[in-house]
Amino acid sequence: MNTLGITLPLWLACNEISSRLLRRLVRQWQDVRQWIIFFHDNIITQPDAELEHRVMCKTSILEYLGLLQHSWVMTWSRHIPADKDIMRVISSLWLLEIKDPLFSSWSSTYTQFHHQRDSAIFNSAILIAHELNIKVDWANIMEVFGNDYDYFAQTAVAHLRYELSQDPPDLECIAWDVHIISALALTANLHLALVKQGSLFICLDVLNLIVQESWEGENRKYAARCVVNATVYLKDGLEDLDGVPLVLTLLSMNLIPILLKCEQHLPLADSDPARNQPGQLLGRMLASYTIYRSVLKRVIPLIEQVQEAGEDRHLQKGSSLYEDWHRLKDTVRERARMLRPDYPTPHAIQHCHNERCTRVDPLGSFRRCGGCLHSFYCSRECQRLDWQQGKHKAYCQRIQERYVRTDGQMFMISCSDFRFFESVIIAELRRHQDRIIAHKLKVNVVEFDFTKGVTDIVFDSLRLDPKPFKILCPCEQFSHDRWESLLVRAKRSQQQLVLVRAYIPGGMSRKILLRGYELRRVLNNDWRVENKLVFPHRLCLTFTCCGRPSDTRLEGKDGKCLRERRTSRHT
């Protein structure tokens, strides 16, 4: 079996015999399959068997299954991901390499004839399943790890840590390990377990390793794959958990200069979408989070340090990363002006979330709901009424489920960030004030999407499209119903108003801000004398989402919230 694994790729490369050989490979597979299972169950996993025999059997299985990496045997390899017994063996050997040092491919026990790595086989099976749309039975694989998600995640991260500790590092295997982590992260419980094990930060370590060294030959191709796979995983991590704490931590670990140094490796990436990944993380996701004052204040000195050190001079003008870098700088430069003490900003207020209450007070006056962390009430009575007779109970309980499900991964927006949101929204309204004036409407409805780095804006006072940025889940439908009721009530006002619905980034769930202003104050940018704090002259409500259900991130059940999942992944 060991010999076949090494020599078959050479024979299959010969056009004269490849077809005939492939037919025999498929015909004989059932016999070989039984031997693989026998070697695993009766020798490798038996502690009483001779160590030399156990290691030899493991090596033989890996060498034979190494055929999975060759596209010309797809007729055979397509059956592997759906084969529960073989996937159990592959997963068990992958675990054994970490569990027992004697079976590690870094161990001196392995001979010079050993060519295949456990991570390569496991990754190849996952890739084949993805390419052919074959469903992997993760429940079957989880049994190998005693149905312990933390143990599974610990094994995946340990593989990557070991590879990073080698001198010299095996870039091909590092790329496999990062891709395995990305694939495992498609399962909600595994994703959270991976985050607990520090998977996001070790992927940043991978990027740092790549950009600090010069690579030659085949390693240049693997370096590009490492950059793309690690960047995609970082992007997914920011989108699937509460983003602000993660952004702040990654910034402290030199995320910006590391991403800028990735450009030299991007030409060897497999596709244009893959080459765009670092730029999207830099100029779109990171730029979108600068709407938070806490993030903006951290980014400003980092950009200055990068420019002083000249770490952006090597960027090729016109490249994707160059454009995204300048998008980030332009966004930061514009919003940095709003941090000045003399910058005029509206008086930050809070609106009681009880729908039957119209009380509005200065920011910090109301009590924050301890369950969802995003609703504010002027009194215990209002909170009790909204819980018992309003719709807050079901909404809040879903948010609390998310808090428990994600092990406390839920970000509470600070008062300083709330104040800064007002400045950004007013600045955008003033940029489009000519259009607002031209409409000559009593109630002007403006919708912003700040989640993409570049602000999208929709003017729709006639409500031709009441959901311009879509409703992604029941939580957002809850906020949409409140928005519609506020629009109806606003029409009773004697003043011209601007009502704003703004979507801001929030990781697993975008935050939704409902804001209302007197038009004359927006146009004059005059907030020195505040009018009576009453609705609808002033409005300030904030909503979040309970995120994904705990059972899976690929299917929604029982009406629980399910965010739109990115359908493409770049390997």
Side-chain angles (χ1 to χ4, degrees), residues 325-515:
W325 166 239
H326 280 270
R327 179 182 294 114
L328 173 63
K329 289 198 301 180
D330 291 343
T331 302
V332 169
R333 185 184 305 111
E334 179 182 346
R335 291 177 178 171
R337 296 186 298 106
M338 305 175 195
L339 296 176
R340 297 201 306 258
D342 59 341
Y343 188 84
T345 183
H347 187 58
I349 54 97
Q350 289 175 323
H351 188 148
C352 182
H353 269 249
N354 180 10
E355 194 165 0
R356 300 181 182 181
C357 180
T358 60
R359 183 173 174 181
V360 182
D361 276 1
L363 182 66
S365 303
F366 293 167
R367 294 175 177 268
R368 189 191 298 260
C369 173
C372 67
L373 303 179
H374 287 73
S375 297
F376 296 84
Y377 294 94
C378 63
S379 65
R380 290 187 180 276
E381 182 63 24
C382 269
Q383 185 173 10
R384 187 181 303 111
L385 286 173
D386 200 28
W387 183 269
Q388 296 174 350
Q389 302 177 22
K391 300 178 181 179
H392 186 70
K393 181 177 180 179
Y395 168 76
C396 188
Q397 287 178 338
R398 287 198 298 264
I399 304 300
Q400 292 181 60
E401 288 174 4
R402 159 184 154 188
Y403 185 81
V404 174
R405 184 171 68 246
T406 59
D407 195 32
Q409 291 284 336
M410 190 161 67
F411 174 66
M412 180 174 66
I413 301 176
S414 67
C415 289
S416 61
D417 282 333
F418 271 124
R419 292 188 182 94
F420 194 69
F421 296 158
E422 305 294 329
S423 298
V424 175
I425 290 173
I426 294 299
E428 289 293 337
L429 290 175
R430 287 183 54 75
R431 182 176 291 110
H432 300 279
Q433 64 180 351
D434 292 342
R435 184 170 181 178
I436 296 175
I437 294 172
H439 288 165
K440 298 180 180 180
L441 296 172
K442 180 179 177 182
V443 179
N444 296 270
V445 179
V446 185
E447 308 220 21
F448 293 110
D449 184 357
F450 292 107
T451 65
K452 302 173 183 177
V454 177
T455 304
D456 287 342
I457 182 171
V458 172
F459 297 87
D460 192 14
S461 300
L462 299 179
R463 312 305 291 146
L464 299 177
D465 182 5
K467 304 174 184 178
F469 298 120
K470 303 189 182 301
I471 301 297
L472 301 183
C473 66
C475 289
E476 292 194 357
Q477 182 62 49
F478 171 72
S479 68
H480 177 73
D481 294 341
R482 186 69 180 273
W483 171 244
E484 291 292 337
S485 68
L486 293 172
L487 293 177
V488 173
R489 294 169 64 187
K491 293 178 182 178
R492 305 170 191 167
S493 172
Q494 299 302 315
Q495 300 286 339
Q496 281 186 291
L497 302 177
V498 181
L499 293 188
V500 175
R501 175 162 59 177
Y503 296 88
I504 64 172
M508 70 166 65
S509 63
R510 56 187 184 179
K511 316 288 185 185
I512 300 178
L513 312 178
L514 306 184
R515 298 293 188 264

Side-chain angles (χ1 to χ4, degrees), residues 231-241 243 247 250 255 259 277-292 295 299 324 327-328 331 335 450-454 505-508 566:
T231 306
V232 168
Y233 184 68
L234 287 173
K235 281 180 54 187
D236 287 354
L238 292 178
E239 291 176 345
D240 295 335
L241 293 171
V247 167
L250 292 173
L255 174 65
L259 289 175
Q277 295 305 307
Q280 290 180 3
L281 177 56
L282 184 70
R284 299 182 188 183
M285 292 193 67
L286 188 54
S288 70
Y289 275 96
T290 60
I291 195 173
Y292 291 88
V295 174
V299 170
D324 285 311
R327 179 182 294 114
L328 173 63
T331 302
R335 291 177 178 171
F450 292 107
T451 65
K452 302 173 183 177
V454 177
M508 70 166 65
R566 295 158 301 287

Side-chain angles (χ1 to χ4, degrees), residues 65 80 87 97 170 222 238 265 285 294 435 510-511 532-533 545:
L65 292 180
I80 301 300
M87 288 301 293
E97 183 172 52
D170 185 340
Y222 298 132
L238 292 178
H265 304 288
M285 292 193 67
S294 52
R435 184 170 181 178
R510 56 187 184 179
K511 316 288 185 185
K532 258 182 107 174
L533 295 176
C545 175

